[in-house]
Amino acid sequence: MQHFILKRLMSALVGVLGVISLVFFLIHMIPGDPVDVMLGETALAADREALRQGLGLHLPLHEQWWNYLSSLAQADLGHSIFSGRPIVELLLERIPATLHLSLTALGVAILIGVPLGLLAATRQHSIYDYGSMGFALFGMSIPNFWMGPLLILIGALWLEWFPVSGREGWNAVILPALTLGTAMAAILARMVRSSLLEILDEDFLRTAHAKGLSPFQAILTHAFPNALLPVLTLVGLQLGGLLGGAVITETVFAWPGLGLLMIEAIQQRDYQVVQAAVLCISITYIFVNLFTDLLYAWLDPRIDWQDPS
Amino acid sequence: MTIVWLFILFISISLGCTESPPESTIRIGLSIAPTNLDPRMATDAPSARVNRLLYSTLVDFAENATPLPALARWEAVTPTQYRFHLLEPRPTFPNGDRITAKDVQETYRSVQDPKTASPHRGIYQNIQHIEVLSESTLDFFLLHPDSLFPSYLVIGILPANLIKIAHPFHEDPVGSGPFTFHQRPDDTRLILKRRKDAQLVEFIRVSDPTVRSLKLLAGEIHLLQNDLPPELVAYLAESPSISLQHKQGSKFTYLGFNHLDPVVGQNLIRKAIAHAINREQIIRFVLGGRARPAHALFPPNHWLGSSQLEGYAYDPPQAKALLDQAGFSGNRSPVLIYKTSTDSFRLRLATILQEQLQQVGITVSIHSHDWGTFYGDIKAGHFQMYSLSWVGLKTPDIFRQAFHSHSVPPQGVNRGQYTDPVTDDLIEQAEGASQNQTQQQIYASLQQRLLETLPYIPLWYEDNVALATTAIRGYTLRTDGNFDGLVDVQWTQSPSTQPQLTKETRSGL
Amino acid sequence: MIRLWLPLGVIMMWGVMAIVSYVLPLSPNAIDLTQILNGPNKHVWLGFDELGRSIADRLITGASTSFFVALSVVGLGILMGGIVGISSGYFSGWVDQLFVRIVDIMLAFPGLLLAIALAGALGPGIENVILALVIVGWVGYARLARGQVLALKHTDHIVAAQAIGASSWRIMGWHLLPLIMAPLIIEASFGIASAIIAEAGLSFLGLGVQPPQASWGSMIRDGTRYMLVAPHLVIIPGLTLMAVVLAANLLGDWLRDWLDVKESTKRPS
């Protein structure tokens, strides 16, 4: 068990290292220069050079990369080139907003998706099945950038139930969470249904039936926990993606999360902030997946600890 | 399921508790947030506009952009020595100290100090030294005479004692302006407090114009200024709870060219382009009539502006004739790459220009890049043609910066490497002129020369537009688009702060 | 049967629109500033956009953009993912190890940054949208192919082929590939749906097609700006996009069920 976790942790670390190196080289390769964005065009050439040296941007790229990694190793994320604020501070402002939005969206997805999937699976080929799967397909097919403005119009302007955008007030999270959560709910509902249906054929359900449990009881107590495994993986993957910042949704709703931070930083060529945001996003993604895998292993006795493949 | 509900409740409570300022806060929607509140460091327009509220400056500008005494009146003792007398009552810093000549001296010294790495240092290289004569008098000694020198003294004054200890002004601004820094909950929001009555004013960054408009309609923000498509402005102005103001502005939009390019480097081609653009139609239909056609950097109501300039009329046959003359006749047509940002309005404009140029036989391919890439390319000279705007131009030093042959980046903003000995000469003459009158004349011939040689094709000056809900009263617009009107704006105490939604607003979509 | 014909009909209409857009006398780029945001009329029955262009004409040419993008992205994705996935699953060892690492990194990497980087380095445009989407998208097909190959590698069929001395390439191409085509095709039909949305999303962020070229995503992007004033600008392309995506998803579902049935009749348990 320990060996397994250690091995997974090591590969997760390699993954993170790969991601940040990739980001580092990508962002330095794009045209555009933080010194220009920061100083504007009126600054003196000498000041420009001084700033470039101060930021270490004059060094060869591989040296900059090494410097970056070594400061990371000392848990130093640096300062935003643009606003001069410590990046840790910036991240700490944004992470709660991102957590808030993605967990609520996940909640919405589970609340809608799981009951729909259950309903569809227990009444296969009924009107309920078609209805909920139809809804699910619908949810998957609406792009966020279309649904977001539509929801604002209905929820905020016509019904006046929710604020238009921003993060003030307890109900501000509902509309963006709905925008994000619907697509996820749809995928979740389909997953719950299909994994339930797979299990429903298996022998132990017949046994449950023999024990005198009603089909619904049998499904809830026996099939559902078993069907949870693939669902869990999916939720993990989705949550990982959500925490990575839902750039479009955050843009539409002016939600001050990590995705928005990353986009703005890319525009300003604020290298340090882009790297830190991506680092944050990839670490969450990789570790959420690691956690899902571990949970999976823990829940499913069939998985061999020695060989996780 | 209960667990899920509890879970949601838990995260909503634990994470959703962003405190909001009181109801009576006046909220202003911005498309871009101010980033740097240190006036020595800020280079972007939103920061500059907010810094005007937080700090006071020696000099301000009249509507025609002539310099006016703000903190101080001045006199030229000699052509290289300017004496400033701080006006009484001198404003105070938040701790109650009156602003002194020492504060002014320290502020400009720290801008000049290479260690501060201020992007504005270049402007003040002409200052040899600054001498404090008394608590409210000081002298600036210059290396070379410059009759426009006072109009450059627009840096917000910081307290000398805090400059000494390297106070982080960008995070915790301390100034003597009409507002003080109150709070910055995150980098999309900034709350200031008005000193005379403790009224709170909050700037909120909402990048999407539709969402910004919806927020205004819903009463979540109370004031919007500029950066809206004219159709939305017209729509919002129909609502009984929203009032519209507009005023001629000085935001100058132009087409820039790479003068080293074999095609657009030719004056004939640029003239053809200028004749091919139907500015009247664009202004009427796309800018909602809220713009004035431009023939020069400065609008006619600027003290250097000239109403004598004859612009390029919309004349497709003339454009074609010029193309012919440049050797592009028959099936040989110029192909241009037009760079722009991903901003919707800029793209819309680019698409129209593309079509209008196509009409005279110039093929344009549009390349839209994210802002960082676009700006980087423009700076590095990687373009054939682009469009941008100058915001807040006031002083004629822009002529040297943008058009002198020595101002090629990184020495200045002559991005297209325009070189014209006549222009260089006129710029130098104007700078050296001691008489205001002769200076004005030289600048007029300079602008005439620029219109003939077309380093830029001037397009238009956009008007300023402000939309305010009935929750606030007494806001006035400025030509330069600054937020100075916030000093006098009042929160109305009427209970109907929630604007009534009308049938018209409901019928949308 | 309606589960097949309805989505197939929509997809075919999409394809037909995409092809005839080259033949029809459309003027999607003709600007008429006097018609800006005007609603539908007798001749232009979907109205005008923010530059006074016909929305109907742009919708049809937009179909060819999304069609071209979706097909190229899915096609190239399957090609690349299939080759990498099959070889990684078949050869195991360090090839496989390397592959798993790359997949980990790709999955954790924000695709948007890649799209911006590519647009910055190569210039914006539809080709680079396709490139960015393929770079992000091939991983899914590769993972699927690898998983399938891992499961099939030790079946009698393959072991027998190895025993008679067939080369690795022959086994992968002739014996493994046909067996894993079905799941790849199912995945591809969903891939079409997500490629359409992704192209639209990138165009929505201004990184996709360049004006005046029409794309449903850029139409929606511009449309949301005028949502309050001229709702037809955003509703029409939005509904069209949704219909096609829905059809692609439905088709994927149908295909999966159909192949599933075929599988289970072939191999009674």
Side-chain angles (χ1 to χ4, degrees), chain A residues 145-255:
Chain A
F145 51 84
W146 197 56
M147 184 163 176
L150 228 58
L151 278 182
I152 294 181
L153 203 66
I154 297 168
L157 206 66
W158 293 350
L159 301 175
E160 297 180 42
W161 289 353
F162 309 103
V164 173
S165 75
R167 206 187 149 218
E168 287 163 73
W170 65 273
N171 56 355
V173 72
I174 306 284
L175 291 183
L178 265 179
T179 309
L180 278 177
T182 325
M184 242 181 96
I187 299 169
L188 207 60
R190 289 159 61 95
M191 194 65 170
V192 168
R193 174 180 179 269
S194 65
S195 54
L196 265 180
L197 285 179
E198 243 164 59
I199 283 164
L200 285 178
D201 293 335
E202 286 181 22
D203 288 345
F204 67 78
L205 206 70
R206 240 170 282 155
T207 324
H209 190 65
K211 280 190 346 201
L213 292 169
S214 78
F216 191 70
Q217 273 177 316
I219 285 168
L220 261 193
T221 54
H222 290 268
F224 189 60
N226 283 296
L228 258 182
L229 285 176
V231 174
L232 210 63
T233 320
L234 184 75
V235 167
L237 271 172
Q238 295 266 349
L239 183 65
L242 276 183
L243 288 170
V247 174
I248 288 178
T249 310
E250 287 185 357
T251 313
V252 170
F253 288 94
W255 188 265

Side-chain angles (χ1 to χ4, degrees), chain B residues 117-324:
Chain B
S118 163
H120 306 298
R121 187 163 77 100
I123 306 169
Y124 304 108
Q125 273 187 316
N126 194 16
I127 301 178
Q128 192 207 26
H129 72 284
I130 305 166
E131 212 174 290
V132 173
L133 303 177
S134 75
E135 195 170 82
S136 59
T137 327
L138 72 164
D139 280 358
F140 283 81
F141 291 90
L142 307 185
L143 295 170
H144 319 287
D146 184 352
S147 60
L148 295 168
F149 174 71
S151 56
Y152 303 140
L153 299 179
V154 289
I155 297 273
I157 304 302
L158 313 169
N161 56 340
L162 292 183
I163 295 173
K164 286 225 176 73
I165 58 166
H167 178 81
F169 287 99
H170 61 280
E171 280 178 1
D172 179 22
V174 180
S176 59
F179 287 81
T180 56
F181 175 72
H182 182 66
Q183 206 184 8
R184 199 173 197 176
D186 58 58
D187 54 3
T188 65
R189 294 165 60 203
L190 169 70
I191 309 177
L192 306 183
K193 187 193 266 177
R194 192 155 67 193
R195 287 170 118 189
K196 65 178 178 195
D197 57 0
Q199 169 69 47
L200 293 181
V201 169
E202 180 176 7
F203 293 92
I204 306 169
R205 201 275 318 275
V206 184
S207 44
D208 188 281
T210 308
V211 176
R212 238 175 9 250
S213 310
L214 284 166
K215 275 178 99 75
L216 188 76
L217 274 178
E220 285 170 37
I221 52 179
H222 310 114
L223 180 67
L224 281 184
Q225 193 169 301
N226 298 337
D227 295 327
L228 282 179
E231 291 85 358
L232 270 182
V233 172
Y235 171 78
L236 290 171
E238 274 172 27
S239 162
S241 61
I242 293 173
S243 64
L244 167 76
Q245 290 180 52
H246 56 101
K247 183 168 194 171
Q248 291 189 338
S250 55
K251 180 178 175 185
F252 169 72
T253 302
Y254 64 93
L255 283 178
F257 298 93
N258 190 339
H259 294 265
L260 301 182
D261 184 87
V263 182
V264 293
Q266 300 179 44
N267 196 8
L268 284 175
I269 302 276
R270 295 197 298 275
K271 280 188 172 162
I273 294 175
H275 278 300
I277 297 171
N278 189 346
R279 283 181 288 173
E280 256 74 59
Q281 209 189 21
I282 296 176
I283 290 174
R284 181 160 155 222
F285 292 106
V286 182
L287 296 165
R290 296 211 171 86
R292 293 174 286 164
H295 310 306
L297 276 176
F298 294 120
N301 53 333
H302 187 283
W303 68 277
L304 283 175
S306 163
S307 44
Q308 245 100 97
L309 294 173
E310 191 83 38
Y312 291 83
Y314 173 59
D315 188 354
Q318 176 69 14
K320 279 185 192 154
L322 286 165
L323 285 180
D324 264 1

Side-chain angles (χ1 to χ4, degrees), chain A:
Chain A
M1 173 84 186
Q2 267 168 3
H3 178 69
F4 170 68
I5 295 178
L6 208 69
K7 203 174 146 195
R8 286 301 323 256
L9 258 175
M10 282 311 291
S11 75
L13 273 180
V14 173
V16 171
L17 194 72
V19 169
I20 54 177
S21 305
L22 194 58
V23 170
F24 182 90
F25 289 110
L26 263 183
I27 184 101
H28 280 81
M29 265 159 40
I30 324 179
D33 182 345
V35 173
D36 287 347
V37 179
M38 186 177 167
L39 290 184
E41 294 180 283
T42 51
L44 294 179
D47 289 343
R48 214 179 282 277
E49 203 39 52
L51 181 68
R52 189 165 278 119
Q53 300 220 352
L55 295 170
L57 293 172
H58 63 295
L59 297 171
L61 203 54
H62 63 273
E63 274 180 50
Q64 290 187 44
W65 174 69
W66 183 247
N67 289 345
Y68 176 62
L69 286 191
S70 32
S71 60
L72 261 193
Q74 295 156 29
D76 174 18
L77 287 175
H79 287 70
S80 156
I81 299 176
F82 206 60
S83 66
R85 303 175 63 202
I87 288 174
V88 179
E89 213 175 89
L90 280 175
L91 289 180
L92 286 180
E93 268 172 27
R94 300 302 187 111
I95 289 172
T98 290
L99 273 180
H100 185 195
L101 177 59
S102 37
L103 291 181
T104 317
L106 185 69
V108 167
I110 292 175
L111 268 183
I112 302 175
V114 171
L116 273 185
L118 267 173
L119 189 72
T122 49
R123 314 247 168 97
Q124 206 190 351
H125 301 307
S126 75
I127 184 85
Y128 297 102
D129 185 15
Y130 295 135
S132 35
M133 284 309 105
F135 167 83
L137 274 173
F138 220 65
M140 280 165 68
S141 310
I142 306 181
N144 284 348
F145 51 84
W146 197 56
M147 184 163 176
L150 228 58
L151 278 182
I152 294 181
L153 203 66
I154 297 168
L157 206 66
W158 293 350
L159 301 175
E160 297 180 42
W161 289 353
F162 309 103
V164 173
S165 75
R167 206 187 149 218
E168 287 163 73
W170 65 273
N171 56 355
V173 72
I174 306 284
L175 291 183
L178 265 179
T179 309
L180 278 177
T182 325
M184 242 181 96
I187 299 169
L188 207 60
R190 289 159 61 95
M191 194 65 170
V192 168
R193 174 180 179 269
S194 65
S195 54
L196 265 180
L197 285 179
E198 243 164 59
I199 283 164
L200 285 178
D201 293 335
E202 286 181 22
D203 288 345
F204 67 78
L205 206 70
R206 240 170 282 155
T207 324
H209 190 65
K211 280 190 346 201
L213 292 169
S214 78
F216 191 70
Q217 273 177 316
I219 285 168
L220 261 193
T221 54
H222 290 268
F224 189 60
N226 283 296
L228 258 182
L229 285 176
V231 174
L232 210 63
T233 320
L234 184 75
V235 167
L237 271 172
Q238 295 266 349
L239 183 65
L242 276 183
L243 288 170
V247 174
I248 288 178
T249 310
E250 287 185 357
T251 313
V252 170
F253 288 94
W255 188 265
L258 274 179
L260 205 55
L261 179 73
M262 188 179 80
I263 273 288
E264 291 162 3
I266 291 176
Q267 306 244 323
Q268 296 168 342
R269 295 293 182 273
D270 201 336
Y271 292 162
Q272 306 276 345
V273 175
V274 179
Q275 284 156 9
V278 174
L279 179 70
C280 217
I281 290 167
S282 60
I283 286 185
T284 351
Y285 185 85
I286 286 172
F287 279 88
V288 165
N289 279 317
L290 176 64
F291 181 72
T292 326
D293 280 1
L294 291 179
L295 202 65
Y296 202 107
W298 178 63
L299 284 175
D300 190 344
R302 282 175 299 188
I303 287 181
D304 184 355
W305 290 111
Q306 303 307 315
D307 177 20
S309 68

Side-chain angles (χ1 to χ4, degrees), chain C residues 161-205:
Chain C
Q162 280 167 332
I164 58 169
S167 75
S168 299
W169 299 115
R170 193 179 162 79
I171 293 177
M172 287 192 283
W174 280 86
H175 301 277
L176 283 171
L177 188 64
L179 288 176
I180 66 166
M181 261 338 258
L184 276 181
I185 288 174
I186 296 170
E187 183 78 6
S189 62
F190 294 114
I192 287 181
S194 54
I196 298 171
I197 291 193
E199 181 273 319
L202 284 178
S203 291
F204 182 78
L205 291 171

